[in-house]
Amino acid sequence: MVPHPPLIIPEIGRGEERNIQKTIDAYHEVGRRIGELKPETIVLISPHQIMYADYFHISPGNAGKGDFGQFRAGQVKMEVIYDTEFVETLCKFAEAGELPAGTLGERDRRLDHGTMVPLYFVNQYWRDYKLVRIGLSGLSLAAHYELGRRIKETAEVLNRNIVVIGSGDLSHRLTAEGPYGYKKEGPQYDSRLMEVMEKGDFGRLLEFSEDFCEKAGECGHRSFTMMAGALDQTSVQAKRLSYEGPFGVGYGVCIYEVSGRDLTRNFKEQYEEKERERLRKQRAREDDYVRLARAVIEEYVRTGRRKEIPGKLPEEMYTQRAGVFVSIKKEGQLRGCIGTIQAVQPSIAEEIRENAVSASVKDPRFSPIEPDELDKLSISVDVLGETEKIASPEQLDVKRYGVVVTKGYRRGLLLPNLDGIDTVKEQVRIAKQKAGIGEYEDVQLERFEVVRHY
């Protein structure tokens, strides 16, 4: 587990790299250990490789090269030979496990700095290796862990001696002077992440929420999770070499040496069992609004038919009208959300039915929900109150009120109390973005309250 600050390269840092000397010393220790291991293949996972929302990109071809020209050090160059046999086998194992991974969709053949910074140090101690270069995706942490397991499987089948490097910085929000300012989640993330990694307690990586990671501004969590998957059911000796964050960004270095098999370290299965239990308890607490939405989604996804409105719902669901939003999450990530600002259907129950169908199969941001996903879904239903015009953002409260922004025919809405939205400024900005309204354009503001059903 290593960071990738370009200034750690002397030709880029030009003396400034001395401010992260502990990280440099740790990197040399990593390089020496890899030199002693003499791996045939290095599998390097980088957040700055091309990233797709629903696909893991693995670099194709026989070779790659790059330089640090974008950091004003174009004289520092690098060339690698790819392990084509490993890549081909890994793609087959991923396909067999229904993991969307492969060599399609390359947009830039040049090596990224998330790859080159680690290899800069490795190459000082060992060069007789081939490289497998893997990017991240917008898929769940569990999917990243699973691809790590496929890396392990590939190495075993090919009898290949490999080292896996998870390249990634920690939080970018440690100080007000840092690249993204300060958020309390930044130091919290780094403390929690380093505790997990120095102990090799990899199951806890899967328990970090997407919201928490986003607020922390982390870079490498998915890299580390994939690396951890490559050590599934394996006993490891974990060692923390360094941690520092002098520039408002966290840099951590840990190493892991395999010491045998340990079938109790099957962290993905343990996590999935916890998730099943959590969802079971959540479903037991769902009210009539959410139960209706879930029943509609399940029937439509399985049969393509709209469920009949049952006859034993609360009276207001038949007699009242309101705008309704149905939100669907899977493994902590949004999977669909469609709603209406004002009532379109004759009743709240029918509004829920129509929007539940749309959220599950018609949200243009996502592919339609498949039947095998139904048991993994968390659903919420927001019933909107009447909107009222307001004169300024000072009359908003991000936790209490949703916002509607209007500029001519363009109109955008954002619900209240959303994960990751902490300020009115953010709320208004995102609502404008959804409507295609410029951040600094004047808009008419409206606010509304919601009753949220889980």
Side-chain angles (χ1 to χ4, degrees):
M1 164 186 152
V2 296
H4 49 241
L7 63 78
I8 206 171
I9 309 300
E11 292 86 345
I12 299 171
R14 301 179 184 183
E16 196 174 359
E17 71 275 9
R18 289 192 291 269
N19 292 318
I20 49 172
Q21 190 61 46
K22 290 180 181 178
T23 301
I24 293 172
D25 294 342
Y27 244 126
H28 282 292
E29 174 67 13
V30 168
R32 283 192 291 269
R33 296 290 288 272
I34 291 175
E36 293 168 1
L37 292 169
K38 297 179 169 55
E40 301 165 82
T41 299
I42 291 178
V43 179
L44 200 148
I45 307 151
S46 171
H48 298 285
Q49 157 78 296
I50 187 170
M51 180 173 175
Y52 290 100
D54 56 356
Y55 179 76
F56 294 101
H57 183 263
I58 304 170
S59 291
N62 297 313
K65 60 184 178 179
D67 61 56
F68 286 101
Q70 70 180 108
F71 303 103
R72 295 182 296 176
Q75 73 275 21
V76 184
K77 303 176 187 292
M78 194 172 298
E79 294 189 23
V80 297
I81 303 298
Y82 289 136
D83 189 335
T84 55
E85 183 183 24
F86 197 102
V87 169
E88 181 180 354
T89 306
L90 176 58
C91 290
K92 288 179 180 177
F93 281 135
E95 183 180 3
E98 298 184 345
L99 269 176
T103 56
L104 300 176
E106 184 171 63
R107 296 177 182 171
D108 189 346
R109 297 184 65 86
R110 294 173 297 178
L111 301 179
D112 62 283
H113 74 272
T115 298
M116 291 190 292
V117 170
L119 294 184
Y120 175 88
F121 290 92
V122 172
N123 289 347
Q124 296 178 46
Y125 299 90
W126 179 245
R127 288 180 174 269
D128 192 17
Y129 63 86
K130 292 183 178 180
L131 185 71
V132 176
R133 179 171 164 240
I134 304 176
L136 309 180
S137 78
L139 295 168
S140 68
L141 293 174
H144 286 75
Y145 190 93
E146 181 61 27
L147 186 56
R149 297 208 301 190
R150 301 297 167 170
I151 292 169
K152 176 188 177 187
E153 185 178 15
T154 301
E156 290 173 345
V157 166
L158 295 178
N159 195 28
R160 192 80 93 243
N161 177 23
I162 75 168
V163 164
V164 180
I165 298 176
S167 173
D169 300 335
L170 276 61
S171 172
H172 287 60
R173 291 172 173 161
L174 299 182
T175 65
E177 297 76 28
Y180 298 102
Y182 172 80
K183 282 201 172 184
K184 66 180 187 300
E185 289 83 3
Q188 290 171 358
Y189 174 86
D190 281 17
S191 175
R192 182 176 163 193
L193 189 282
M194 289 305 297
E195 180 186 2
V196 167
M197 299 307 285
E198 70 183 16
K199 295 177 180 177
D201 190 6
F202 298 139
R204 291 169 59 192
L205 284 172
L206 301 171
E207 297 173 0
F208 281 63
S209 72
E210 295 285 345
D211 172 47
F212 179 61
C213 288
E214 183 178 347
K215 287 181 177 179
E218 58 78 24
C219 165
H221 198 93
R222 282 171 157 77
S223 290
F224 310 149
T225 303
M226 195 185 303
M227 181 209 72
L231 295 169
D232 186 66
Q233 297 187 34
T234 300
S235 176
V236 298
Q237 295 176 343
K239 185 177 181 181
R240 168 177 169 160
L241 297 184
S242 69
Y243 169 80
E244 50 190 345
F247 307 114
V249 179
Y251 305 129
V253 180
C254 294
I255 55 176
Y256 308 91
E257 192 166 341
V258 172
S259 56
R261 288 179 63 79
D262 185 345
L263 300 182
T264 67
R265 290 172 62 84
N266 58 333
F267 295 120
K268 183 165 178 275
E269 282 79 8
Q270 294 175 33
Y271 168 74
E272 289 174 340
E273 179 57 36
K274 289 180 183 177
E275 274 295 286
R276 283 192 289 270
E277 179 63 16
R278 182 186 68 80
L279 288 169
R280 185 191 66 77
K281 291 180 179 178
Q282 179 179 295
R283 290 187 69 152
R285 296 193 300 266
E286 290 174 350
D287 67 9
D288 291 295
Y289 290 74
V290 178
R291 279 199 292 269
L292 174 59
R294 184 180 292 279
V296 168
I297 290 167
E298 291 181 349
E299 180 153 336
Y300 193 85
V301 168
R302 289 190 174 116
T303 70
R305 296 192 297 268
R306 279 173 166 75
K307 183 176 179 62
E308 293 293 327
I309 301 295
K312 295 184 179 180
L313 298 173
E315 183 66 21
E316 74 270 11
M317 294 180 71
Y318 302 112
T319 60
Q320 295 181 15
R321 303 178 71 222
V324 167
F325 272 75
V326 175
S327 302
I328 306 169
K329 287 188 175 182
K330 176 186 172 185
E331 297 175 329
Q333 293 181 295
L334 188 65
R335 190 64 180 84
C337 179
I338 295 289
T340 43
I341 298 175
Q342 296 173 326
V344 176
Q345 303 299 325
S347 68
I348 288 176
E350 291 169 278
E351 204 83 35
I352 291 173
R353 178 173 63 183
E354 294 307 307
N355 292 340
V357 168
S358 295
S360 61
V361 299
K362 296 180 180 179
D363 189 326
R365 297 168 294 178
F366 306 98
S367 60
I369 289 172
E370 300 290 343
D372 62 359
E373 298 179 82
L374 293 173
D375 290 339
K376 301 175 183 178
L377 303 181
S378 298
I379 299 168
S380 63
V381 175
D382 289 301
V383 180
L384 278 60
E386 293 293 325
T387 61
E388 60 173 325
K389 291 182 179 181
I390 57 176
S392 72
E394 282 70 33
Q395 294 175 268
L396 290 169
D397 179 326
V398 72
K399 297 298 183 184
R400 178 180 177 184
Y401 296 112
V403 65
V404 179
V405 297
T406 305
K407 179 76 172 181
Y409 65 89
R410 293 172 292 170
R411 201 173 194 209
L413 173 146
L414 202 67
L415 296 169
N417 199 24
L418 293 178
D419 293 340
I421 310 298
D422 298 320
T423 67
V424 167
K425 184 177 180 180
E426 287 179 291
Q427 186 185 39
V428 172
R429 178 182 61 79
I430 295 172
K432 285 182 174 181
Q433 188 178 64
K434 291 175 70 175
I437 299 171
E439 184 175 355
Y440 299 105
E441 290 188 68
D442 292 330
V443 292
Q444 170 64 60
L445 294 173
E446 297 172 82
R447 69 181 186 185
F448 60 90
E449 294 186 88
V450 307
V451 177
R452 180 161 293 165
H453 301 265
Y454 294 98

